[in-house]
């Protein structure tokens, strides 16, 4: 039915219709209602060379007429920098767009500037005034050692080494956080420590291997007035037999268990290897678990943490006994951390396959099994191993990476760039990854990180190479690091599409289409890009933020199913899809070479075969974004391990040995 107010116009002469149309357009422009808040920002004082936490400017459509943000600028360009945000974009009724700004002083002085926002149909831009003061510090941190390589270590046994932080400057500094991911641990540091000039502070890093594999990661430290510091960590777990008749029992449980949440369900599995099956678990005499939880003889800790259990660390001792005669017994001192309620759906610690009581199975464990007709595995035929031809091509490309100048020509004094592309979760994870690795002494000195992921964006916002998302990378994020599009050689991509309908495999169609478009855009915009590492979503069972349709943004099982979209796109390249071709010998190049990054999905607190799990404490209140610091460090640690150990990354990621 046509609007009654427009019906009379159908009978007017054409010239009057034209006049009426112009009047309507003017009326619409005049009816635009939007807010830009705040009108000014004063940043905290910041040390020269560091950057403040970002402050957000929001443009919101408070009327009924669409509002289009045409463009924005920040000045001075190098001082007030965009953390995330993009334009152009159009806001419908009630929608808002966020622009996060950080203050990065280059000198010790007061800076004033502004953000200028151009809105379609408005004669004057909107202005947000910016102010901040750069300050100097005479503090300077010296961390020793910068690299720790633990000797081969028996499973379940902890050995520690000491790290010393010395202030070799002439003014105080504070060590504000220290973090390391399992199987590495921290002792001797609990909270912020002030280190006076010419004084030192020491703490210990422990290594407790739980598998017979090599480990590589980074310990990160943050300070108040000096740059972040890192210590590169590595070690290998081994199992030494002490007797020939029976393999000795050895723990494969990290001493600090996954954290639980007050008044919420809990699940953890204690594991050991060796001895004679079956193994039997029990609590040592006098040990108790937090109220509401129990330990089964099979080693499962289950239950619901009672509301009377306060946040804190709960120590207990478990014993495992084998069936040999006489039996072997292994005693394990353990810690179960408990955190406060986060606001997320912390009871949803696992997720079942629809209409069953069977748990969703990670693709890495599903193998040749199937999920509603879709085969598991990261690569074709249910395999988690990349086909040899694809792997060889990736290694060859990795070995061909070399420093480039701004025009993209080889230059021994140049650099090359690893770029992240994706949504807010991607941005948060990569921020922590960059903080850890920028000061990693084992990182290649020619490698520059650029976080191109953007909060508030969605997969469809990236499908066109002319989208505002790409413009933010080209016009802001790359120049901030003094690099160009010609120097980008590798990318990490996590690009979910949030508008799911709850049907599989239909939901994967838009996800795959978006992802293919993004990969083709990467090739178009970054001519020297060689390698792209793609991930799906991590566990989404705790998610609770509603989108415009009133459902969670990346719920289960959609988060799990996103892995099938990544699997399908990579398989398409392996199978010779011309739209994903990376080899000029096979036709026009349309995309970079593709690989999985670290497969990140595990079924909540039900640990994957490699020990990966996602407790609710790793999530912010929305049950979606990683928490600070636990979730950010956990995911960043996975990225660090992957890029420091994969055979297609080590040639360009690590410094020459």
């Amino acid at each position: 039915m046509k609007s009654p107010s427009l019906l009379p116009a159908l009978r007017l002469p054409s010239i009057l219709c034209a006049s009426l149309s112009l009047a309507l357009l003017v009326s619409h422009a005049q009816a635009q209602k939007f807010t830009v808040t705040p009108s000014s920002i004063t940043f905290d004082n910041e040390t020269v060379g560091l950057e403040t936490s970002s402050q957000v400017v929001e443009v919101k459509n408070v009327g009924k007429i669409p509002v289009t943000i045409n463009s924005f600028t920040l000045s001075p360009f190098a001082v007030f920098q965009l953390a995330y945000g993009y334009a152009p974009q159009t806001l419908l009724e009630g929608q808002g767009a966020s622009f996060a700004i950080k203050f990065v002083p280059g000198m010790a002085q007061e800076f004033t500037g502004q953000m200028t926002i151009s809105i379609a149909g408005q004669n004057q831009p909107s202005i947000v005034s910016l102010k901040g003061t750069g300050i100097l510090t005479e503090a300077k941190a010296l961390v020793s050692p910068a690299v720790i390589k633990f000797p081969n270590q028996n499973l379940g046994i902890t050995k520690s080494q000491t790290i010393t932080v010395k202030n070799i400057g002439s003014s105080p500094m504070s060590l504000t956080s220290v973090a390391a991911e399992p199987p590495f641990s921290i002792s001797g540091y609990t909270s912020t420590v002030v280190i006076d000039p010419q004084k030192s502070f020491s703490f210990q890093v422990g290594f407790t291997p739980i598998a017979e594999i090599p480990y590589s990661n980074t310990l990160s430290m943050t300070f108040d007035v000096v740059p972040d510091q890192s210590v590169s960590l590595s070690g290998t777990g081994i199992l030494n037999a002490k007797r020939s008749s029976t393999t000795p029992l050895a723990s494969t449980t990290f001493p600090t268990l996954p954290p639980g949440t007050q008044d919420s369900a809990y699940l953890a599995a204690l594991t050991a290897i060796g001895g004679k099956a079956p193994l039997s678990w029990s609590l040592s005499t006098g040990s108790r678990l937090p109220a509401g939880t129990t330990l089964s003889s099979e080693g499962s800790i289950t239950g619901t943490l009672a509301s009377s259990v306060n946040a804190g660390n709960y120590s207990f001792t478990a014993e495992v006994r084998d069936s040999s005669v006489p039996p072997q017994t292994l005693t394990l001192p353990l810690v179960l951390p408990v955190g406060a309620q986060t606001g997320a759906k912390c009871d949803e610690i696992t997720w079942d396959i629809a209409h069953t009581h069977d748990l969703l199975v990670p693709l890495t464990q599903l193998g040749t099994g199937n999920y509603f007709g879709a085969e598991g595995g990261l690569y074709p035929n249910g395999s988690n191993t990349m086909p040899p031809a694809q792997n060889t091509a990736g290694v060859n490309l990795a070995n061909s990476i070399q420093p480039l100048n701004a025009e993209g020509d080889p230059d021994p004094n140049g650099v090359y760039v690893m770029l992240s592309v994706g949504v807010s979760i991607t941005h948060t994870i990569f921020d922590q990854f960059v903080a850890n690795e920028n000061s990693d002494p084992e990182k290649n000195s020619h490698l520059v990180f650029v976080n191109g992921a953007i909060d508030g964006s969605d997969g469809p916002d990236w499908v066109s190479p002319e989208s505002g998302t790409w413009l933010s990378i080209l016009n802001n994020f790359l120049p901030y690091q003094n690099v160009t599009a010609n120097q980008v050689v590798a990318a990490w991509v996590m690009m979910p599409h949030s508008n799911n309908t709850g049907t599989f495999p239909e939901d994967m169609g838009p996800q795959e289409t978006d992802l293919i478009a993004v990969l083709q855009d990467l090739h178009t915009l970054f001519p020297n890009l060689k390698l792209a590492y793609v991930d799906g979503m991590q566990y989404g069972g705790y998610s609770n933020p509603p989108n415009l349709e009133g459902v969670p943004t990346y719920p289960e099982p959609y988060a799990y199913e996103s892995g099938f979209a990544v699997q399908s796109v990579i398989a398409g390249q392996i199978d010779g899809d011309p739209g994903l071709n990376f080899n000029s010998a096979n036709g026009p190049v349309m995309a970079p070479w593709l690989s999985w990054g670290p497969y990140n999905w595990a079924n909540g607190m039900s640990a994957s075969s490699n020990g990966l799990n996602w407790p609710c404490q790793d999530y912010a209140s929305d049950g979606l974004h990683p928490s600070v610091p636990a979730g950010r460090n956990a995911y960043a640690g996975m990225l660090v391990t992957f890029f420091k150990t994969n055979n297609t990354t080590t040639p360009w990621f690590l410094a020459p040995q």
Side-chain angles (χ1 to χ4, degrees), residues 188-317:
Y189 176 90
T190 55
S191 60
T192 297
V193 174
V194 177
I195 307 176
D196 289 323
Q198 304 306 312
K199 299 295 183 179
S200 299
F201 171 76
S202 296
F203 59 93
Q204 289 70 47
V205 55
F207 174 50
T208 314
I210 56 177
E212 295 179 272
I213 58 173
Y215 296 92
S216 183
N217 216 305
T218 301
L219 176 148
S220 62
M221 291 167 279
T222 59
F223 299 85
D224 60 341
V225 293
V226 299
D228 296 345
Q229 299 285 316
S230 295
V231 175
S232 183
L233 305 175
S234 62
T236 299
I238 60 173
L239 180 63
N240 287 335
K242 295 181 181 178
R243 63 180 81 171
S244 57
S245 57
T246 305
T247 305
L249 280 172
S251 170
T252 54
T253 299
F254 193 68
T256 300
L257 299 177
T261 301
Q262 289 176 313
D263 204 22
S264 299
Y266 185 77
L267 171 64
L270 307 185
T271 57
I273 60 173
K276 182 179 179 180
L279 304 181
S280 178
W281 291 85
S282 62
L283 291 175
S284 297
T285 302
S287 271
R288 293 189 304 170
L289 288 169
T293 59
T294 59
L295 171 63
S296 72
S297 60
E298 290 77 25
S300 293
I301 300 177
T302 57
T304 297
L305 288 158
S307 57
S308 59
V309 176
N310 295 323
N313 293 325
Y314 292 82
S315 299
F316 66 98
T317 303

Side-chain angles (χ1 to χ4, degrees), residues 453-535:
I454 297 179
D455 290 28
S457 68
D458 194 12
D461 298 320
W462 295 83
V463 297
S464 168
E466 298 176 353
S467 296
T469 48
W470 295 114
L471 293 178
S472 286
I473 293 176
L474 297 171
N475 297 334
N476 295 87
F477 304 143
L478 290 172
Y480 291 153
Q481 301 300 321
N482 296 312
V483 293
T484 70
N486 296 320
Q487 294 169 302
V488 177
V489 299
W492 176 58
V493 181
M494 189 166 74
M495 185 67 72
H497 181 135
S498 66
N499 294 325
N500 58 86
T501 64
T503 57
F504 181 86
E506 288 79 6
D507 274 340
M508 294 304 101
Q511 176 78 71
E512 291 180 35
T513 300
D514 287 354
L515 184 52
I516 291 171
V518 167
L519 294 168
Q520 292 173 342
D521 290 348
L522 279 166
H523 170 69
T524 299
L525 296 170
F526 308 104
N528 291 312
L529 178 70
K530 297 177 182 290
L531 310 165
Y533 301 87
V534 189
D535 281 328

Side-chain angles (χ1 to χ4, degrees), residues 82-354:
L82 181 72
Y84 62 79
Y86 66 97
Q89 61 173 305
T90 297
L91 309 177
L92 302 180
E93 181 181 358
Q95 289 184 332
S98 296
F99 298 87
I101 306 167
K102 56 190 178 183
F103 173 51
V104 188
M107 298 176 64
Q109 66 175 61
E110 182 179 271
F111 292 89
T112 59
Q114 65 182 36
M115 181 179 190
T116 305
I117 304 171
S118 174
I119 306 290
Q122 300 297 311
N123 294 327
Q124 297 294 327
S126 297
I127 303 295
V128 178
S129 61
L130 308 171
K131 181 186 293 186
T133 299
I135 57 175
L136 292 175
T137 179
E138 297 301 325
K140 186 176 182 180
L142 176 66
V143 177
S144 179
V147 177
I148 293 179
K149 297 181 183 292
F150 286 90
N152 292 352
Q153 180 64 43
N154 287 333
L155 302 191
I157 304 298
T158 300
K159 291 293 179 68
S160 298
Q161 294 197 34
T162 298
I163 295 174
T164 299
V165 182
K166 184 175 182 179
N167 182 353
I168 60 174
S170 57
S171 62
M173 67 183 191
S174 294
L175 176 60
T176 56
S177 72
V178 178
E181 290 302 303
F184 303 102
S185 59
I186 302 299
S187 59
Y189 176 90
T190 55
S191 60
T192 297
V193 174
V194 177
I195 307 176
D196 289 323
Q198 304 306 312
K199 299 295 183 179
S200 299
F201 171 76
S202 296
F203 59 93
Q204 289 70 47
V205 55
F207 174 50
T208 314
I210 56 177
E212 295 179 272
I213 58 173
Y215 296 92
S216 183
N217 216 305
T218 301
L219 176 148
S220 62
M221 291 167 279
T222 59
F223 299 85
D224 60 341
V225 293
V226 299
D228 296 345
Q229 299 285 316
S230 295
V231 175
S232 183
L233 305 175
S234 62
T236 299
I238 60 173
L239 180 63
N240 287 335
K242 295 181 181 178
R243 63 180 81 171
S244 57
S245 57
T246 305
T247 305
L249 280 172
S251 170
T252 54
T253 299
F254 193 68
T256 300
L257 299 177
T261 301
Q262 289 176 313
D263 204 22
S264 299
Y266 185 77
L267 171 64
L270 307 185
T271 57
I273 60 173
K276 182 179 179 180
L279 304 181
S280 178
W281 291 85
S282 62
L283 291 175
S284 297
T285 302
S287 271
R288 293 189 304 170
L289 288 169
T293 59
T294 59
L295 171 63
S296 72
S297 60
E298 290 77 25
S300 293
I301 300 177
T302 57
T304 297
L305 288 158
S307 57
S308 59
V309 176
N310 295 323
N313 293 325
Y314 292 82
S315 299
F316 66 98
T317 303
E319 294 180 353
V320 58
R321 177 173 297 196
D322 78 347
S323 299
S324 60
V325 180
Q328 294 187 75
T329 300
L330 183 65
T331 301
L332 302 178
L334 300 168
V335 175
L336 196 165
V338 176
Q341 280 279 345
T342 67
K345 295 181 178 180
C346 290
D347 263 333
E348 304 291 346
I349 60 172
T350 59
W351 205 270
D352 293 339
I353 298 172

Side-chain angles (χ1 to χ4, degrees), residues 585-606:
N586 297 329
V589 174
M590 300 294 291
W593 174 91
L594 301 179
S595 166
W596 278 88
Y599 181 72
N600 54 45
W601 193 91
N603 200 336
M605 296 196 73
S606 177

